[in-house]
Amino acid sequence: MEIDRNVYWVGILDFPERDFHNFTTHRGLTYNSYLILDEHVTVVDGVKHKYVKDQIRKIERYVDPKKIEYVVVNHIEPDHSSGLPELAKIANPTFVCTKKAKEGLEKYYNADWNFKIVRSGDELKIGENTLRFIETPMLHWPDSMMTYMVERRILFSMDAFGQHVASEERFDEDLGIEEAIYWAKVYYANIIMPYANIVLRIPKIFEKFGVNPKLIAPSHGVIWRNPDVITESYLKWAKFEAERKAVVIYDTMWHSTEKLAFAIADGISSTGVKTSVFNVRKDAWADIVTEILDAKAVCIGAPTMHNHVFPPMAGFLTYLKGLRPKNKIGAAFCSYGWGSGAYENIVEVMESLGWEIVEGLQVQFRPSEEELKRAFDLGVEIGKKVLEVV
Ligand code: FEO
């Protein structure tokens, strides 16, 4: 479809996909690719290899693919780059990318292709239009960049501002702004959150390189006709602005830790703080970290097994540690049989994230009535702390 005069979306809707390297995608995926018909035919971003023939079929509706002269590679992760070898075979275009991207493409695909290496501020005239390139290393890979179509004010922002959702709607308003922001939030929490400090620099980067988009066209999901809505949301998320929310996350072997989780959640919600409860073996981690993003308090509980935290929770803690959520109040709660370990493992992760730790609780075997009361009181204490600061 034409998203602007002579600029076409030639991407893929991957409706059935439910897993993006362990990121549960409840509504599927998109791989966005854009075709610009100008004096020099240009494609911006590729698609996953299994769909490249579909992409080429879409390009054929508008132009002979052999006429593609430039392929802009904003990012080399295989969801965007694994179809590129096929484009190279058909069109032998010049691949326009950062130095790091060239190195990565050579390593991934033994790419003996024509390359044009660009740096921030470089421009490429493709006819009546000009493409300006802006390197955005570690947003979210070292090779990442954005491409700004100067005269049209279209920003091809690669993964940044994207959403994992497959829908026939191509624009934010058509999907519904609220829904588009929701999927962007899920995406941000699971992919972009560790790079919050770079996100905070986006306004300055835009100003420096004269980027004032009327459209933001990411490499996943819908296109933003309301760029301010998504850029302002990104800044809010990058500042870890919290709501009056708490999240209780747990795993359990024989329901002891589960009883503590429910009692703590009851205590928190009795203070009026919105509380969600997740089980790491039953709920998608992508959903859990989305809730953590703007929650003020996070309580994590698990049993001890062989002197360590219960393995499924260990996996979740590793995921959480990598995503680096900040500005939280944390509390651990655990059950054990004859030796502890889980409590220490959980607190260690919370400390590494710089969270304010509230002393939690551990119980042996089953929680007694008195211990359940302590768990409820812990929840009340956490709820009051949230209300003090949010
Ligand atoms: Fe959509 Fe980082 O790849």
Side-chain angles (χ1 to χ4, degrees):
M1 87 176 270
E2 193 172 42
I3 64 159
D4 203 73
R5 186 170 51 82
N6 288 336
V7 182
Y8 298 88
W9 178 82
V10 288
I12 299 297
L13 299 172
D14 192 348
F15 287 105
E17 184 60 81
R18 289 291 175 272
D19 182 276
F20 183 82
H21 55 51
N22 199 43
F23 172 164
T24 304
T25 53
H26 299 289
R27 284 275 311 274
L29 286 170
T30 45
Y31 313 102
N32 290 339
S33 174
Y34 303 95
L35 170 71
I36 305 172
L37 296 187
D38 204 330
E39 190 182 323
H40 303 284
V41 175
T42 300
V43 167
V44 179
D45 294 329
V47 302
K48 198 171 172 179
H49 180 260
K50 76 190 256 202
Y51 293 115
V52 68
K53 289 205 173 4
D54 298 318
Q55 181 202 21
I56 290 165
R57 219 171 285 126
K58 287 182 183 181
I59 292 170
E60 279 169 348
R61 290 179 196 161
Y62 310 109
V63 69
D64 179 352
K66 291 193 182 68
K67 293 192 174 155
I68 298 167
E69 288 186 53
Y70 293 112
V71 175
V72 175
V73 184
N74 280 320
H75 175 35
I76 64 164
E77 195 166 0
D79 49 328
H80 310 290
S81 71
S82 56
L84 297 179
E86 202 63 29
L87 284 184
K89 255 191 258 166
I90 290 173
N92 193 26
T94 296
F95 289 86
V96 183
C97 62
T98 62
K99 182 169 177 285
K100 284 273 181 210
K102 176 177 181 279
E103 289 166 8
L105 292 169
E106 286 169 342
K107 188 75 170 49
Y108 266 129
Y109 310 112
N110 295 319
D112 181 19
W113 306 338
N114 306 315
F115 284 101
K116 178 178 175 59
I117 304 296
V118 291
R119 305 196 58 175
S120 284
D122 287 356
E123 292 188 345
L124 176 66
K125 199 85 183 139
I126 56 170
E128 70 175 47
N129 291 293
T130 312
L131 302 180
R132 183 179 296 154
F133 306 100
I134 301 119
E135 291 172 282
T136 51
M138 295 321 295
L139 198 60
H140 71 124
W141 275 26
D143 55 273
S144 299
M145 70 170 187
M146 299 187 188
T147 298
Y148 187 53
M149 200 171 168
V150 179
E151 294 81 0
R152 302 293 184 81
R153 294 174 49 217
I154 302 173
L155 179 68
F156 299 104
S157 62
M158 52 91 206
D159 283 341
F161 310 123
Q163 327 98 53
H164 276 336
V165 59
S167 79
E168 293 291 351
E169 293 83 12
R170 287 277 53 77
F171 291 98
D172 50 357
E173 292 153 344
D174 301 330
L175 182 65
I177 299 281
E178 205 175 312
E179 185 166 357
I181 286 291
Y182 172 74
W183 292 114
K185 182 182 175 187
V186 178
Y187 190 90
Y188 178 93
N190 286 276
I191 303 280
I192 307 290
M193 183 152 63
Y195 311 108
N197 58 340
I198 303 173
V199 171
L200 292 173
R201 296 207 296 270
I202 284 179
K204 281 211 164 109
I205 294 170
F206 280 12
E207 196 184 327
K208 182 172 177 189
F209 295 105
V211 176
N212 177 25
K214 74 172 184 204
L215 289 182
I216 292 184
S219 52
H220 298 287
V222 293
I223 297 163
W224 299 96
R225 272 196 185 120
N226 298 272
D228 290 350
V229 171
I230 185 61
T231 51
E232 280 163 19
S233 296
Y234 257 52
L235 292 178
K236 189 179 80 175
W237 297 329
K239 287 177 195 158
F240 291 102
E241 285 181 11
E243 295 184 6
R244 285 186 168 179
K245 273 176 45 175
V247 188
V248 177
I249 306 150
Y250 75 97
D251 204 340
T252 197
M253 289 166 72
W254 296 106
H255 303 289
S256 298
T257 316
E258 185 172 64
K259 285 179 197 292
L260 295 176
F262 293 174
I264 292 168
D266 280 351
I268 301 172
S269 62
S270 75
T271 65
V273 170
K274 188 170 172 254
T275 311
S276 344
V277 179
F278 293 98
N279 178 309
V280 290
R281 264 186 298 160
K282 294 181 180 173
D283 293 300
W285 293 1
D287 298 341
I288 303 175
V289 297
T290 304
E291 277 301 300
I292 289 176
L293 173 63
D294 55 5
K296 185 64 200 170
V298 181
C299 304
I300 301 179
T304 288
M305 184 187 233
H306 308 141
N307 301 112
H308 293 283
V309 68
F310 193 46
M313 180 58 83
F316 177 76
L317 290 172
T318 302
Y319 189 59
L320 186 68
K321 196 173 169 182
L323 290 172
R324 304 203 288 268
K326 299 275 188 262
N327 190 25
K328 310 291 173 202
I329 296 164
F333 57 97
C334 302
S335 62
Y336 64 94
W338 54 94
S340 68
Y343 188 89
E344 292 77 4
N345 292 158
I346 295 169
V347 167
E348 192 183 320
V349 170
M350 290 176 170
E351 282 174 347
S352 77
L353 294 169
W355 295 1
E356 177 192 340
I357 312 279
V358 172
E359 190 179 341
L361 80 161
Q362 301 188 68
V363 304
Q364 189 181 26
F365 297 130
R366 300 186 64 197
S368 63
E369 285 304 314
E370 192 269 329
E371 286 165 330
L372 286 175
K373 170 78 171 52
R374 277 175 50 209
F376 181 89
D377 291 344
L378 173 62
V380 172
E381 182 189 346
I382 289 165
K384 285 182 179 166
K385 273 189 169 287
V386 171
L387 296 176
E388 272 169 25
V389 290
V390 184

